């Protein structure tokens, strides 16, 4: 197994993992920023909005179609807290290209999709996220956050993580 890691800037880490043991590979782009108080819900909402569409793939259906064309590749966008940092992870799992039957350059194609998610989100004519999508995703995030608060063990675990992070 080979793990490649590079840090083009202090806030961006690029990792790739390759091995002959599996027929798949993974790619992750990690962007790190200071964790500001109360930014978690906004980070979650931003990830949902980025995942909802890009300029080239404006709908979830078009994203899914393109991922299917890339041998059922998958992408993930999430925000997580790491101590005093907020980390945004853009990741992908892909088929090893030597198993591609038609010579598709899966790595370049998935890299292009991750670039779309990071730098070219689907925006309206005013340069804002589409209002309908924003309202839908906002409702989903609120529902998700309420489900955490209504689950005592999950909420306690989350609060414990917060307290530990403050004292690091």
């Amino acid at each position: 197994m080979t793990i490649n890691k590079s840090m083009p800037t202090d806030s961006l880490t690029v990792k790739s993992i390759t091995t002959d043991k599996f027929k798949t590979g993974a790619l992750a782009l990690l962007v790190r920023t200071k964790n500001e108080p109360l930014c978690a819900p906004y980070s979650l909402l931003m990830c949902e909005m980025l995942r909802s569409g890009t300029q080239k793939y404006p709908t979830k259906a078009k994203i899914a179609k393109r991922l299917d064309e890339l041998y059922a590749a998958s992408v993930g966008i999430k925000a997580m807290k790491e101590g005093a940092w907020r980390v945004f992870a853009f990741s992908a799992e892909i088929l090893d290209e030597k198993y591609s039957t038609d010579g598709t350059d899966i790595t370049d194609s998935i890299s292009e999709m991750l670039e779309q998610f990071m730098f070219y989100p689907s925006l309206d004519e005013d340069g804002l996220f589409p209002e309908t999508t924003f309202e839908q995703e906002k409702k989903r995030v609120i529902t998700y956050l309420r489900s955490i608060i209504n689950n005592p063990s999950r909420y306690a675990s989350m609060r414990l993580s917060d307290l530990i992070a403050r004292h690091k």
Side-chain angles (χ1 to χ4, degrees), residues 74-144:
S74 64
V75 294
I77 303 170
K78 66 180 183 177
M80 56 203 142
K81 188 167 57 170
E82 239 178 51
W85 299 99
R86 172 80 33 199
V87 178
F88 294 91
F90 296 81
S91 61
E93 287 190 31
I94 57 171
L95 180 70
D96 189 319
E97 290 177 352
K98 67 184 173 189
Y99 299 104
S100 167
T101 58
D102 62 1
T104 300
D105 190 342
I106 302 169
T107 303
D108 280 352
S109 296
I110 205 70
S111 296
E112 180 268 332
M113 282 194 81
L114 289 176
E115 178 184 27
Q116 282 284 314
F117 286 117
M118 291 179 74
F119 301 112
Y120 304 102
S122 181
L123 302 174
D124 65 16
E125 59 278 349
D126 295 324
L128 303 172
F129 288 122
E131 188 172 349
T132 307
T133 306
F134 181 82
E135 290 301 323
Q136 289 172 337
E137 297 301 340
K138 184 173 88 172
K139 285 178 186 175
R140 285 179 31 158
V141 167
I142 290 169
T143 301
Y144 169 74

